[in-house]
Structures are given as structure tokens and as C-alpha cells.
Amino acid sequence: MEQRVAGQPEGEAQALLREITDYCRLMGVAESTFGRQAVNDGKFVNRVRDGGRITTTTLERVRAYMAATVGDTAALGTKFSAPSPAPLSGAAAQPAGEPGQQRSFR
């Protein structure tokens, strides 16, 4: 359980939520996925939205995660990865070897 940071202004929490929602829209990830990847807590964003307070360490982890992944779309999975090449069909799909040789399916 995280310790509460005393005196965390309401405006800071709203600003952080805005940053997170903008990040999630930009990167195409759900808020729960963001929380799980950034701080290992899928309910993180909802907890902050519901008034939960976070430590300065957690705030630093969240901002560091966003900064590190904005330029690294490959870390977000296949949605942003380069598409894999389409499989070849016909003779070009057969492995090199004797022409007309069939390989066992199993």
C-alpha cells in the first residue's frame, strides 16, 4: 500500500490524470494497461481519479514511464509494431530443396 503524500494539491492530480489520458489516447492503450505497465497496478488511474493520493516516487515512476515509451512504440505490442510480411503462396512458399518434394505435415 502506498503512503499518502501530504498536501498534494487537487490541481496536481487533475494535471496528472490529463497527462495520463492524453498519453493513453496517443499510444492507443487502455488506462488499466497503462497502470499495469507503469506501476504494476491496473487500477492505478481509477484510484487517482477517485481521490487517491500517490507518493512522489510513484509520480516519478509514472512520468519516467511515459517519457521512456513515447518514442518506443515497439514496447506497446503488436498494435504499433511494423506489420509482418504476408506469407508467400504457391511455389515460392516451399522451402529450398528438390522441386516438387512435399514435406510431411507433422
Side-chain angles (χ1 to χ4, degrees):
M1 182 117 192
E2 294 188 26
Q3 298 173 353
R4 293 177 177 246
V5 177
Q8 183 179 10
E10 187 73 24
E12 275 187 44
Q14 293 304 316
L16 177 63
L17 284 170
R18 229 178 351 267
E19 286 178 48
I20 292 171
T21 35
D22 290 346
Y23 172 89
C24 290
R25 284 187 187 131
L26 173 71
M27 301 306 269
V29 298
E31 291 177 348
S32 59
T33 302
F34 169 82
R36 195 169 49 256
Q37 291 176 344
V39 292
N40 199 28
D41 180 5
K43 297 181 180 180
F44 171 75
V45 177
N46 284 333
R47 292 179 207 272
V48 173
R49 186 173 284 127
D50 291 340
R53 295 179 181 212
I54 61 172
T55 63
T56 53
T57 304
T58 301
L59 178 62
E60 290 168 2
R61 284 177 61 191
V62 167
R63 291 213 166 118
Y65 174 80
M66 288 190 289
T69 57
V70 164
D72 183 16
T73 56
L76 297 172
T78 57
K79 183 171 184 175
F80 292 99
S81 299
S84 46
L88 299 174
S89 61
Q94 293 180 359
E98 295 180 32
Q101 178 185 16
Q102 292 190 6
R103 293 180 42 174
S104 173
F105 180 65
R106 293 185 183 187

